Amino acid sequence: MTPHIRTAALALAVLLTAAACAKAEEPQAAPAATSTAGQQVVQSPTGSAGPTCTLQQFGGTKFDLKAATVGFSQSEKEANPFRIAETKSIKDEAAKLGIADLKVTNAQSQFSKQITDVQQLIAQGVQLLVIAPLNSDGWEPVLQQAAAKKIPIITVDRKINAKACSDYLTFIGSDFYEQGKRAADRMIEALGGKGKVAILLGAPGNNVTTERTNGFKDRVKEKAPEIAISFEQTGEFAREKGQQVTEQLIQSNPDINGIYAENDEMALGAVTALKGAGKEPGDIKIVSVDGTRSAVQGIADGWLYAVIESNPRFGPLAFETARKFLDGEAIPDKVIISDRDYTTANAKDSLGEAY
Protein backbone atom coordinates (compact mmCIF):
# COMPACT_ATOMS: atom_id res chain seq x y z
CA MET A 1 0.00 0.00 0.00
CA THR A 2 1.45 3.40 -0.96
CA PRO A 3 2.02 5.97 1.77
CA HIS A 4 -0.77 8.30 0.64
CA ILE A 5 -3.29 5.44 0.37
CA ARG A 6 -2.23 4.16 3.83
CA THR A 7 -2.72 7.68 5.26
CA ALA A 8 -6.17 8.02 3.69
CA ALA A 9 -7.23 4.62 5.04
CA LEU A 10 -6.02 5.56 8.52
CA ALA A 11 -7.95 8.82 8.40
CA LEU A 12 -11.10 7.01 7.28
CA ALA A 13 -10.75 4.51 10.13
CA VAL A 14 -10.42 7.36 12.63
CA LEU A 15 -13.55 9.03 11.26
CA LEU A 16 -15.55 5.81 11.39
CA THR A 17 -14.43 5.13 14.96
CA ALA A 18 -15.37 8.67 16.05
CA ALA A 19 -18.77 8.37 14.39
CA ALA A 20 -19.41 5.06 16.11
CA CYS A 21 -18.47 6.54 19.50
CA ALA A 22 -20.69 9.55 18.94
CA LYS A 23 -23.59 7.28 17.99
CA ALA A 24 -23.05 5.15 21.08
CA GLU A 25 -23.14 8.22 23.31
CA GLU A 26 -26.45 9.48 21.91
CA PRO A 27 -29.32 9.18 24.43
CA GLN A 28 -31.54 6.18 23.80
CA ALA A 29 -35.14 6.79 22.77
CA ALA A 30 -37.71 6.37 25.52
CA PRO A 31 -39.89 3.26 25.30
CA ALA A 32 -43.12 3.74 23.42
CA ALA A 33 -46.03 4.66 25.65
CA THR A 34 -48.57 1.94 26.17
CA SER A 35 -51.22 4.01 27.97
CA THR A 36 -54.37 5.71 26.70
CA ALA A 37 -52.77 9.13 27.15
CA GLY A 38 -53.45 11.51 24.30
CA GLN A 39 -56.47 9.66 23.00
CA GLN A 40 -59.07 7.42 24.53
CA VAL A 41 -59.09 3.77 23.57
CA VAL A 42 -62.37 1.86 23.42
CA GLN A 43 -62.51 -1.43 25.28
CA SER A 44 -62.92 -4.58 23.17
CA PRO A 45 -65.51 -5.74 22.44
CA THR A 46 -67.01 -2.33 21.76
CA GLY A 47 -70.49 -3.10 22.98
CA SER A 48 -71.82 -4.96 19.95
CA ALA A 49 -73.52 -7.44 22.28
CA GLY A 50 -75.71 -4.71 23.81
CA PRO A 51 -78.41 -2.42 22.39
CA THR A 52 -77.45 -0.21 19.46
CA CYS A 53 -78.97 2.80 17.70
CA THR A 54 -78.94 3.93 14.07
CA LEU A 55 -79.98 7.24 12.56
CA GLN A 56 -83.04 5.52 11.10
CA GLN A 57 -84.04 4.07 14.48
CA PHE A 58 -83.53 7.44 16.14
CA GLY A 59 -85.69 9.12 13.52
CA GLY A 60 -83.24 11.91 12.83
CA THR A 61 -82.05 13.51 9.61
CA LYS A 62 -78.50 13.32 8.32
CA PHE A 63 -76.54 16.58 8.34
CA ASP A 64 -73.02 17.75 7.58
CA LEU A 65 -71.15 17.78 10.89
CA LYS A 66 -68.70 20.44 9.70
CA ALA A 67 -71.50 22.82 8.79
CA ALA A 68 -73.60 22.03 11.85
CA THR A 69 -74.16 24.00 15.03
CA VAL A 70 -72.87 21.85 17.87
CA GLY A 71 -73.38 22.47 21.57
CA PHE A 72 -71.15 21.33 24.43
CA SER A 73 -72.44 21.67 27.99
CA GLN A 74 -69.74 21.50 30.66
CA SER A 75 -70.93 20.81 34.19
CA GLU A 76 -68.30 22.07 36.59
CA LYS A 77 -66.00 25.00 37.15
CA GLU A 78 -62.81 24.59 35.18
CA ALA A 79 -60.62 24.81 38.24
CA ASN A 80 -60.43 21.02 38.08
CA PRO A 81 -57.76 19.60 35.70
CA PHE A 82 -60.21 16.93 34.52
CA ARG A 83 -62.72 19.54 33.33
CA ILE A 84 -60.02 21.73 31.81
CA ALA A 85 -58.69 18.80 29.77
CA GLU A 86 -62.20 17.68 28.84
CA THR A 87 -63.30 21.07 27.46
CA LYS A 88 -59.99 21.57 25.68
CA SER A 89 -60.32 18.18 24.00
CA ILE A 90 -63.81 19.00 22.68
CA LYS A 91 -62.71 22.42 21.39
CA ASP A 92 -59.50 21.10 19.84
CA GLU A 93 -61.22 18.26 18.00
CA ALA A 94 -63.98 20.54 16.71
CA ALA A 95 -61.33 22.92 15.34
CA LYS A 96 -59.42 20.00 13.81
CA LEU A 97 -62.56 18.79 12.03
CA GLY A 98 -63.44 22.26 10.80
CA ILE A 99 -66.61 22.62 12.90
CA ALA A 100 -66.89 26.39 12.92
CA ASP A 101 -70.02 26.78 15.06
CA LEU A 102 -69.27 25.13 18.42
CA LYS A 103 -71.19 26.68 21.29
CA VAL A 104 -69.75 25.95 24.75
CA THR A 105 -71.44 26.59 28.09
CA ASN A 106 -70.34 26.00 31.68
CA ALA A 107 -72.82 25.36 34.49
CA GLN A 108 -70.33 26.34 37.21
CA SER A 109 -71.35 23.29 39.25
CA GLN A 110 -75.01 24.40 39.38
CA PHE A 111 -77.45 21.83 38.01
CA SER A 112 -80.27 24.32 37.45
CA LYS A 113 -77.89 26.41 35.36
CA GLN A 114 -76.87 23.39 33.30
CA ILE A 115 -80.50 22.64 32.48
CA THR A 116 -80.99 26.28 31.43
CA ASP A 117 -77.73 26.22 29.45
CA VAL A 118 -78.81 23.21 27.40
CA GLN A 119 -82.31 24.59 26.85
CA GLN A 120 -80.73 27.76 25.48
CA LEU A 121 -78.46 25.73 23.19
CA ILE A 122 -81.54 23.95 21.83
CA ALA A 123 -83.25 27.31 21.29
CA GLN A 124 -80.16 28.50 19.40
CA GLY A 125 -80.59 25.69 16.89
CA VAL A 126 -77.90 23.15 17.78
CA GLN A 127 -78.06 19.94 15.75
CA LEU A 128 -75.86 17.87 18.08
CA LEU A 129 -75.42 18.05 21.84
CA VAL A 130 -72.45 16.76 23.81
CA ILE A 131 -73.20 16.94 27.52
CA ALA A 132 -70.99 16.33 30.57
CA PRO A 133 -73.83 15.96 33.11
CA LEU A 134 -73.48 17.27 36.64
CA ASN A 135 -76.21 14.94 37.92
CA SER A 136 -77.67 11.74 36.54
CA ASP A 137 -81.33 12.59 37.29
CA GLY A 138 -83.56 15.56 36.53
CA TRP A 139 -82.96 15.82 32.77
CA GLU A 140 -86.57 15.27 31.63
CA PRO A 141 -87.29 18.85 30.44
CA VAL A 142 -84.15 18.92 28.29
CA LEU A 143 -84.64 15.41 26.93
CA GLN A 144 -88.22 16.17 25.90
CA GLN A 145 -87.19 19.33 24.04
CA ALA A 146 -84.28 17.62 22.30
CA ALA A 147 -86.40 14.60 21.34
CA ALA A 148 -89.05 16.84 19.81
CA LYS A 149 -86.38 18.26 17.47
CA LYS A 150 -84.59 14.92 16.98
CA ILE A 151 -81.32 16.31 18.36
CA PRO A 152 -78.90 13.48 19.19
CA ILE A 153 -77.32 13.77 22.64
CA ILE A 154 -73.97 12.20 23.52
CA THR A 155 -73.23 12.18 27.24
CA VAL A 156 -69.61 12.01 28.36
CA ASP A 157 -68.02 11.06 31.70
CA ARG A 158 -71.32 10.70 33.58
CA LYS A 159 -74.51 8.91 32.64
CA ILE A 160 -78.04 10.25 32.70
CA ASN A 161 -80.87 8.01 33.85
CA ALA A 162 -82.89 7.86 30.67
CA LYS A 163 -83.50 5.63 27.63
CA ALA A 164 -80.81 5.33 24.97
CA CYS A 165 -81.80 5.86 21.32
CA SER A 166 -84.87 7.86 22.29
CA ASP A 167 -83.93 10.24 25.12
CA TYR A 168 -80.25 10.33 24.18
CA LEU A 169 -77.93 8.58 21.73
CA THR A 170 -75.11 7.08 23.82
CA PHE A 171 -72.83 7.43 26.82
CA ILE A 172 -69.03 7.60 26.45
CA GLY A 173 -66.93 7.08 29.55
CA SER A 174 -65.10 4.76 31.89
CA ASP A 175 -66.35 1.71 33.75
CA PHE A 176 -66.60 3.41 37.14
CA TYR A 177 -67.48 0.25 39.05
CA GLU A 178 -64.35 -1.37 37.63
CA GLN A 179 -62.33 1.71 38.65
CA GLY A 180 -63.52 1.21 42.22
CA LYS A 181 -62.52 -2.46 42.15
CA ARG A 182 -59.08 -1.64 40.78
CA ALA A 183 -58.60 1.07 43.42
CA ALA A 184 -59.48 -1.54 46.05
CA ASP A 185 -56.92 -3.95 44.59
CA ARG A 186 -54.24 -1.27 44.98
CA MET A 187 -55.34 -0.47 48.53
CA ILE A 188 -55.31 -4.16 49.47
CA GLU A 189 -51.80 -4.38 48.02
CA ALA A 190 -50.67 -1.27 49.92
CA LEU A 191 -52.01 -2.47 53.29
CA GLY A 192 -51.17 -6.12 52.95
CA GLY A 193 -54.85 -7.00 53.20
CA LYS A 194 -55.58 -5.56 56.66
CA GLY A 195 -56.19 -2.17 58.27
CA LYS A 196 -58.62 0.73 58.50
CA VAL A 197 -59.60 2.72 55.42
CA ALA A 198 -61.49 5.98 54.91
CA ILE A 199 -63.40 6.90 51.75
CA LEU A 200 -63.54 10.46 50.47
CA LEU A 201 -66.76 10.20 48.50
CA GLY A 202 -67.41 12.17 45.33
CA ALA A 203 -70.35 14.51 44.85
CA PRO A 204 -73.76 12.92 45.50
CA GLY A 205 -76.40 12.50 42.82
CA ASN A 206 -74.37 10.99 39.99
CA ASN A 207 -73.45 7.50 38.86
CA VAL A 208 -69.68 8.07 39.14
CA THR A 209 -69.74 8.38 42.92
CA THR A 210 -72.16 5.50 43.34
CA GLU A 211 -70.26 3.09 41.11
CA ARG A 212 -66.74 3.97 42.34
CA THR A 213 -67.96 3.47 45.92
CA ASN A 214 -69.75 0.19 45.25
CA GLY A 215 -66.86 -1.23 43.23
CA PHE A 216 -64.39 -0.45 46.01
CA LYS A 217 -66.55 -1.83 48.82
CA ASP A 218 -67.51 -4.98 46.96
CA ARG A 219 -63.89 -5.75 46.11
CA VAL A 220 -62.68 -5.18 49.68
CA LYS A 221 -65.45 -7.41 51.01
CA GLU A 222 -64.54 -10.10 48.49
CA LYS A 223 -60.74 -10.01 48.72
CA ALA A 224 -59.79 -8.45 52.07
CA PRO A 225 -62.29 -9.01 54.89
CA GLU A 226 -59.68 -7.77 57.38
CA ILE A 227 -59.84 -4.27 55.91
CA ALA A 228 -62.46 -2.19 57.70
CA ILE A 229 -63.99 0.87 56.04
CA SER A 230 -64.31 2.99 59.15
CA PHE A 231 -65.03 6.46 57.73
CA GLU A 232 -66.99 7.85 54.77
CA GLN A 233 -67.74 11.47 53.93
CA THR A 234 -68.20 13.44 50.76
CA GLY A 235 -65.41 15.69 49.60
CA GLU A 236 -67.57 16.75 46.63
CA PHE A 237 -64.73 16.04 44.16
CA ALA A 238 -63.03 19.26 45.39
CA ARG A 239 -59.48 19.73 46.73
CA GLU A 240 -60.41 22.19 49.47
CA LYS A 241 -63.24 19.98 50.70
CA GLY A 242 -61.00 16.92 50.57
CA GLN A 243 -58.53 18.72 52.80
CA GLN A 244 -61.23 19.75 55.29
CA VAL A 245 -62.68 16.24 55.51
CA THR A 246 -59.22 14.69 55.97
CA GLU A 247 -58.43 17.14 58.77
CA GLN A 248 -61.59 15.93 60.53
CA LEU A 249 -60.67 12.34 59.75
CA ILE A 250 -57.24 12.62 61.39
CA GLN A 251 -58.86 13.92 64.56
CA SER A 252 -61.66 11.36 64.74
CA ASN A 253 -59.74 8.35 63.38
CA PRO A 254 -56.05 8.80 64.27
CA ASP A 255 -55.36 5.12 63.57
CA ILE A 256 -56.48 5.22 59.93
CA ASN A 257 -54.18 3.32 57.56
CA GLY A 258 -55.49 4.21 54.12
CA ILE A 259 -57.56 6.78 52.24
CA TYR A 260 -59.51 6.02 49.06
CA ALA A 261 -60.24 9.32 47.33
CA GLU A 262 -62.74 9.09 44.50
CA ASN A 263 -60.86 11.70 42.50
CA ASP A 264 -57.38 13.21 42.48
CA GLU A 265 -58.41 16.64 43.66
CA MET A 266 -59.69 15.24 46.95
CA ALA A 267 -56.56 13.09 47.23
CA LEU A 268 -54.35 16.15 46.86
CA GLY A 269 -56.42 17.94 49.49
CA ALA A 270 -55.85 14.95 51.76
CA VAL A 271 -52.09 15.24 51.19
CA THR A 272 -52.19 18.88 52.30
CA ALA A 273 -54.03 17.87 55.46
CA LEU A 274 -51.55 15.07 56.20
CA LYS A 275 -48.60 17.40 55.76
CA GLY A 276 -50.25 19.87 58.13
CA ALA A 277 -50.62 17.11 60.69
CA GLY A 278 -46.93 16.28 60.52
CA LYS A 279 -47.34 13.02 58.63
CA GLU A 280 -44.58 11.67 56.39
CA PRO A 281 -45.01 10.34 52.83
CA GLY A 282 -46.40 6.81 52.98
CA ASP A 283 -47.60 6.98 56.59
CA ILE A 284 -51.16 6.74 55.29
CA LYS A 285 -51.66 5.01 51.94
CA ILE A 286 -53.69 7.03 49.44
CA VAL A 287 -55.29 5.59 46.31
CA SER A 288 -57.32 7.80 44.00
CA VAL A 289 -58.92 8.00 40.56
CA ASP A 290 -58.27 10.39 37.64
CA GLY A 291 -54.65 10.63 36.50
CA THR A 292 -53.86 14.33 36.82
CA ARG A 293 -50.23 15.34 36.56
CA SER A 294 -50.18 16.60 40.16
CA ALA A 295 -51.45 13.28 41.47
CA VAL A 296 -48.97 11.26 39.41
CA GLN A 297 -46.23 13.53 40.77
CA GLY A 298 -47.64 12.74 44.21
CA ILE A 299 -46.91 9.07 43.57
CA ALA A 300 -43.35 9.90 42.53
CA ASP A 301 -42.97 11.95 45.73
CA GLY A 302 -44.29 9.12 47.90
CA TRP A 303 -47.55 10.74 49.08
CA LEU A 304 -49.90 8.71 46.90
CA TYR A 305 -49.66 4.95 46.48
CA ALA A 306 -51.54 4.59 43.18
CA VAL A 307 -53.94 6.36 40.81
CA ILE A 308 -56.50 4.71 38.54
CA GLU A 309 -56.77 6.73 35.33
CA SER A 310 -60.03 8.27 34.12
CA ASN A 311 -59.21 9.79 30.74
CA PRO A 312 -61.01 13.12 30.07
CA ARG A 313 -59.98 13.55 26.43
CA PHE A 314 -63.42 12.90 24.94
CA GLY A 315 -63.20 15.11 21.84
CA PRO A 316 -61.97 12.62 19.21
CA LEU A 317 -64.22 9.76 20.33
CA ALA A 318 -67.31 11.97 20.76
CA PHE A 319 -67.08 13.41 17.26
CA GLU A 320 -66.07 10.07 15.72
CA THR A 321 -69.19 8.55 17.31
CA ALA A 322 -71.34 11.38 15.92
CA ARG A 323 -69.85 10.94 12.43
CA LYS A 324 -70.50 7.19 12.42
CA PHE A 325 -74.08 7.77 13.60
CA LEU A 326 -74.72 10.30 10.83
CA ASP A 327 -73.25 7.86 8.30
CA GLY A 328 -75.82 5.28 9.31
CA GLU A 329 -73.66 3.04 11.47
CA ALA A 330 -75.11 1.36 14.57
CA ILE A 331 -73.92 3.02 17.79
CA PRO A 332 -73.83 1.05 21.08
CA ASP A 333 -75.79 2.51 23.98
CA LYS A 334 -72.53 2.88 25.90
CA VAL A 335 -68.96 3.25 24.69
CA ILE A 336 -66.60 2.20 27.48
CA ILE A 337 -62.98 3.36 27.37
CA SER A 338 -59.90 1.64 28.76
CA ASP A 339 -57.96 3.26 31.61
CA ARG A 340 -54.47 2.56 32.95
CA ASP A 341 -52.98 2.45 36.47
CA TYR A 342 -50.28 4.83 37.69
CA THR A 343 -48.04 3.25 40.34
CA THR A 344 -44.64 3.72 41.93
CA ALA A 345 -43.25 1.56 39.13
CA ASN A 346 -44.24 3.93 36.31
CA ALA A 347 -45.13 7.33 37.80
CA LYS A 348 -41.88 9.16 37.04
CA ASP A 349 -41.76 7.93 33.45
CA SER A 350 -45.47 8.64 32.90
CA LEU A 351 -45.68 12.25 34.07
CA GLY A 352 -45.74 13.52 30.50
CA GLU A 353 -48.75 11.36 29.72
CA ALA A 354 -50.86 12.62 32.64
CA TYR A 355 -53.12 15.65 32.19
Side-chain angles (χ1 to χ4, degrees):
M1 183 181 291
T2 62
H4 69 276
I5 293 176
R6 188 162 48 248
T7 302
L10 181 60
L12 178 60
V14 171
L15 287 171
L16 289 172
T17 302
C21 290
K23 185 176 181 179
E25 290 171 3
E26 287 176 1
Q28 299 299 304
T34 57
S35 76
T36 63
Q39 187 166 337
Q40 293 170 336
V41 176
V42 179
Q43 283 186 6
S44 296
T46 59
S48 56
T52 60
C53 185
T54 64
L55 183 61
Q56 184 178 7
Q57 288 173 293
F58 185 74
T61 304
K62 183 174 181 177
F63 56 85
D64 180 0
L65 192 56
K66 289 184 179 180
T69 300
V70 178
F72 173 58
S73 169
Q74 179 57 276
S75 56
E76 297 176 351
K77 300 174 182 178
E78 290 180 15
N80 183 325
F82 185 98
R83 298 301 171 190
I84 294 170
E86 184 176 56
T87 299
K88 183 178 186 300
S89 178
I90 296 290
K91 289 180 175 179
D92 287 352
E93 188 65 15
K96 179 181 175 182
L97 295 175
I99 299 171
D101 194 6
L102 175 70
K103 299 183 184 299
V104 178
T105 63
N106 190 302
Q108 301 294 314
S109 304
Q110 300 171 44
F111 186 59
S112 60
K113 183 178 186 307
Q114 186 167 35
I115 294 296
T116 301
D117 286 346
V118 178
Q119 288 175 326
Q120 289 176 347
L121 289 171
I122 293 171
Q124 291 168 13
V126 297
Q127 294 161 274
L128 169 69
L129 279 165
V130 180
I131 300 176
L134 183 64
N135 293 343
S136 296
D137 293 312
W139 284 95
E140 289 79 10
V142 163
L143 299 178
Q144 290 170 7
Q145 291 176 33
K149 296 188 175 184
K150 295 298 178 183
I151 301 170
I153 296 174
I154 295 173
T155 70
V156 295
D157 177 48
R158 296 177 184 174
K159 297 177 183 176
I160 56 175
N161 292 324
K163 186 177 179 181
C165 203
S166 57
D167 296 326
Y168 69 101
L169 173 59
T170 189
F171 158 77
I172 302 174
S174 299
D175 184 333
F176 305 115
Y177 183 81
E178 186 66 22
Q179 287 178 340
K181 288 173 62 179
R182 287 163 59 195
D185 287 338
R186 292 298 179 183
M187 185 63 76
I188 293 166
E189 176 184 270
L191 299 182
K194 58 180 66 177
K196 293 184 177 181
V197 173
I199 302 179
L200 300 185
L201 301 165
N206 66 80
N207 69 299
V208 178
T209 297
T210 301
E211 292 176 28
R212 284 180 183 167
T213 303
N214 290 342
F216 186 86
K217 288 182 173 180
D218 288 350
R219 191 65 153 191
V220 167
K221 183 178 180 181
E222 174 194 0
K223 296 290 186 180
E226 291 187 71
I227 289 181
I229 298 171
S230 57
F231 179 97
E232 295 178 54
Q233 190 168 322
T234 180
E236 298 175 3
F237 287 134
R239 187 180 300 202
E240 186 175 308
K241 186 70 173 178
Q243 178 182 343
Q244 292 171 359
V245 172
T246 304
E247 288 169 348
Q248 297 168 14
L249 164 67
I250 295 167
Q251 294 296 320
S252 62
N253 293 262
D255 57 346
I256 203 77
N257 305 114
I259 296 173
Y260 167 46
E262 293 185 341
N263 83 336
D264 285 350
E265 285 296 282
M266 294 189 295
L268 293 169
V271 169
T272 301
L274 295 179
K275 288 179 179 178
K279 300 292 185 182
E280 296 295 326
D283 283 352
I284 294 176
K285 307 300 183 184
I286 301 176
V287 176
S288 70
V289 183
D290 265 353
T292 67
R293 190 165 298 186
S294 295
V296 176
Q297 181 64 57
I299 298 174
D301 294 341
W303 284 101
L304 272 67
Y305 182 78
V307 173
I308 311 303
E309 181 190 47
S310 198
N311 194 329
R313 304 171 179 98
F314 289 98
L317 192 52
F319 286 114
E320 179 189 0
T321 300
R323 178 191 59 76
K324 288 180 177 179
F325 174 69
L326 294 172
D327 286 344
E329 293 187 37
I331 304 301
D333 65 336
K334 54 182 178 292
V335 180
I336 304 302
I337 61 174
S338 296
D339 296 309
R340 64 176 292 178
D341 288 10
Y342 291 102
T343 68
T344 53
N346 63 23
K348 290 181 181 179
D349 293 335
S350 302
L351 270 172
E353 300 169 5
Y355 58 89

